Amino acid sequence: RSLSMPTSLLLGVLQAALLGAKDSVTPLVAIVYSTVVNVVGDYVLVTRFHYGLQGAAIATTLAQWAATGALIPVARQKLLKSHNFDLLRRSDAADPDTVTSSAFLSFAAPVLTLILGKLAAFGFMTHSAAAVPGQPIPLASHQIILSLLFFCTPFFEVLSQTAQTFLPAFLAPLNEHVRTRKAADPKYDEHTDAAVVPWKLAGQRVATKLLVTGLASAGLIASAASLVPAFFGNMITTDVTVQQAIKPLAKYLWLGAF
């Protein structure tokens, strides 16, 4: 974990930055790299060399390194003009296309906090489930529900990333326009600016469509996933005790996914 977590955090930040730059192909290629390394690593270390769980952990770490390594060169080319993360020389502040290290860090800090929060939440959940008496049923039930939640997340993540990619195109130029006008004219009122109102309305229309789509898909996917522990537990496990244990967790899965 100590070897993989820094790489995992950097991977999350670079994925978000590239998606923000409307590059969805490079993160997809990185996932392909990660999958290939993970599958090959599992086969070699677990099947051939019989390292068991240690082998699986090593393969997962190597897969994260591979995915991160695939993103770094493209991120340097697309996000930073100097291509050296602005560590070797100062950027030209007059160039609007230059991204300084401080600007990148200001973007990275919230993303890092978000990823750390997710890791902490899931870590504490697993720790709490392992501390419940009557093992291994509680931990097995927790793992099943968590796996079903992770199965849902790709459907939701694509909407989240779409919003994060396209909404700033409406908001950032508008805010810059208002700041520029106010700097030039202290009496400037954005509410009377003929360009601002349609700009805001366009952004609100996109945001509303994304919100409606998100609510509809959340209700549909959360309901479909929750039906599994509620009525079709035998699809997940043949253990009747675990099937009964995950039934009351269906409503929490629905709430969490929604």
Side-chain angles (χ1 to χ4, degrees):
R1 288 190 178 188
S2 64
L3 292 173
S4 68
M5 187 173 291
T7 310
S8 178
L9 294 174
L10 180 59
L11 176 66
V13 171
L14 292 178
Q15 282 180 331
L18 287 168
L19 287 169
K22 295 183 174 62
D23 178 5
S24 60
V25 176
T26 303
L28 182 63
V29 172
I31 290 176
V32 174
Y33 279 38
S34 173
T35 302
V36 171
V37 171
N38 208 351
V39 170
V40 173
D42 281 340
Y43 173 75
V44 172
L45 296 174
V46 178
T47 304
R48 307 298 297 176
F49 288 94
H50 307 291
Y51 282 0
L53 290 176
Q54 289 182 344
I58 293 171
T60 301
T61 302
L62 292 176
Q64 289 179 339
W65 289 0
T68 306
L71 290 181
I72 289 175
V74 180
R76 289 176 60 192
Q77 293 173 2
K78 292 195 173 185
L79 303 176
L80 304 172
K81 184 178 181 180
S82 65
H83 299 174
N84 58 25
F85 291 96
D86 210 31
L87 299 177
L88 302 181
R89 65 180 176 84
R90 294 180 61 84
S91 299
D92 183 4
D95 189 341
D97 294 327
T98 298
V99 178
T100 64
S101 56
S102 59
F104 182 77
L105 288 175
S106 66
F107 165 82
V111 181
L112 282 170
T113 304
L114 177 65
I115 297 172
L116 282 171
K118 288 182 178 179
L119 290 172
F122 291 129
F124 281 124
M125 286 165 59
T126 303
H127 176 75
S128 300
V132 174
Q135 297 297 341
I137 302 302
L139 191 56
S141 303
H142 163 74
Q143 199 62 42
I144 288 172
I145 297 299
L146 194 59
S147 297
L148 286 169
L149 176 65
F150 287 153
F151 180 78
C152 295
T153 52
F155 298 97
F156 308 145
E157 193 69 20
V158 69
L159 280 169
S160 172
Q161 291 175 353
T162 300
Q164 293 176 58
T165 299
F166 288 96
L167 280 180
F170 289 96
L171 303 177
L174 176 60
N175 294 336
E176 182 63 28
H177 169 77
V178 172
R179 279 197 300 269
T180 303
R181 292 295 304 273
K182 284 184 176 179
D185 181 8
K187 296 181 179 180
Y188 167 76
D189 183 7
E190 62 183 278
H191 301 293
T192 60
D193 190 334
V196 170
V197 175
W199 212 338
K200 283 186 174 181
L201 287 175
Q204 288 174 358
R205 282 196 294 269
V206 174
T208 301
K209 288 180 180 178
L210 286 167
L211 182 60
V212 171
T213 305
L215 288 171
S217 62
L220 179 64
I221 301 300
S223 298
S226 301
L227 287 174
V228 174
F231 302 106
F232 305 105
N234 59 320
M235 294 173 57
I236 303 295
T237 175
T238 56
D239 191 310
V240 178
T241 307
V242 177
Q243 292 177 22
Q244 295 301 315
I246 62 176
K247 276 189 176 183
L249 300 179
K251 55 181 177 291
Y252 301 109
L253 174 62
W254 191 93
L255 289 170
F258 185 79

